[in-house]
Amino acid sequence: MELLLNAVKDGLLLGGFYGAISVGLTISFGLLDVVNIAHPIFIILGSYIAYVLNSTWGVDPLLAGLLPAPLFYWLGVAVYRVYYRSFERRGEESLRGLVFFFGILFLIEVSLIITYGVDYRLVSAGYIGRSLDLGGLSFAYRLLVPFLAGSLLTLALFLFLTRTFYGKAIMGVSQDRFALQLMGADPVKIKTIAFGLSIATTSLAGALLIIIGPVEPSVGRVYIGRVFAVVVLGGMGSVGGTLVAAIIVGVAESLTSIFVGPAWSEAVSFALLLLALAVRPSGLFGR
């Protein structure tokens, strides 16, 4: 019983982190229909910036994830402008747009390998390596901090999308861009802001990733299928659904790792994705 409780607890904490790394893709893929397969490499870029700030100036990893967020936003704005002018405006986004993001993925990954090599990098902070004992269960801070930060990030994005003008415009452009044009809003501008926001989230997500464990440039490939599975399982464009799906995937992976074997845990997200597509194609909270 104790083993089961610990597996569920670790899965919940892991799910909060999965929510943090997936919620940006919920905006770009779920709401904008932009298949940004380079999303995980932006997370790895965020991890390396957190590593540099932490190892050089001793900046706390969480703060090191928040400080570069404005730069990531403008990076996302620049990427979307190139994508829109080169592919989306011409109606060539389906295949050539996919190749475009593949190119970005490998460009950033190779740049990181040339600069930092393939050695694993990690950060240090007073809470990493310690744990909180609560109700007979031990909560490792390296998982608890990403869980709390990831949950807050998801809540903040949910409030932004549902309570602000730009948030409602982003939701509107995903549903009926022509109606949005009739209301005087520019759908391209709204999509540019939304894509910039989706990349900005990867700055904090990258810091959370390197808090959990050391990273190297190619580790982002492990998360490509997982983040897409979480977004589809949660329901395309549903921020709340993304967090619920992330927790389901986290708990399922943790239980599988403990009771079946760690090698099988990576297949769990794909199995859940296939099950969802077969039973409920629109996902748990699909639009």
Side-chain angles (χ1 to χ4, degrees), residues 85-247:
R85 292 172 183 172
S86 303
F87 308 105
E88 192 173 83
R89 186 171 59 178
R90 302 175 181 176
E92 299 175 347
E93 69 271 23
S94 58
L95 181 58
R96 294 183 180 181
L98 199 63
V99 174
F100 170 71
F101 285 113
F102 254 123
I104 291 178
L105 189 155
F106 285 109
L107 181 64
I108 296 177
E109 184 176 313
V110 170
S111 299
L112 289 174
I113 290 174
I114 292 174
T115 307
Y116 297 102
V118 294
D119 294 334
Y120 280 90
R121 308 286 173 169
L122 70 165
V123 293
S124 60
Y127 49 83
I128 297 176
R130 297 170 59 187
S131 61
L132 172 69
D133 293 324
L134 195 64
L137 296 174
S138 179
F139 294 81
Y141 280 112
R142 70 177 183 84
L143 289 175
L144 183 59
V145 170
F147 169 78
L148 294 174
S151 300
L152 287 175
L153 173 64
T154 305
L155 176 62
L157 278 177
F158 176 78
L159 293 176
F160 172 78
L161 291 173
T162 55
R163 304 290 176 83
T164 68
F165 169 77
Y166 282 108
K168 291 177 180 177
I170 291 171
M171 299 292 285
V173 80
S174 70
Q175 296 168 358
D176 192 340
R177 59 179 295 163
F178 297 108
L180 197 65
Q181 280 180 306
L182 292 176
M183 295 172 64
D186 181 356
V188 177
K189 179 182 177 182
I190 296 300
K191 292 184 76 171
T192 304
I193 293 172
F195 195 85
L197 186 63
S198 75
I199 298 302
T201 65
T202 62
S203 175
L204 179 60
L208 301 181
L209 174 62
I210 202 169
I211 287 175
I212 289 179
V215 301
E216 52 92 15
S218 65
V219 77
R221 299 177 192 176
V222 176
Y223 293 96
I224 290 179
R226 189 170 285 147
V227 292
F228 276 93
V230 167
V231 172
V232 174
L233 180 62
M236 298 285 282
S238 172
V239 173
T242 297
L243 182 60
V244 173
I247 289 175

Side-chain angles (χ1 to χ4, degrees), residues 20 23-25 27-28 32 34 36-43 45-46 65 68-80 101 104 108 157 192-206:
V23 74
L25 193 67
I27 296 175
S28 60
L32 307 182
V34 176
N36 179 18
I37 57 172
H39 188 80
I41 199 63
F42 287 107
I43 295 173
L45 183 62
L71 293 176
F72 274 64
Y73 170 81
W74 288 110
L75 176 61
V77 167
V79 168
Y80 182 76
F101 285 113
I104 291 178
I108 296 177
L157 278 177
T192 304
I193 293 172
F195 195 85
L197 186 63
S198 75
I199 298 302
T201 65
T202 62
S203 175
L204 179 60

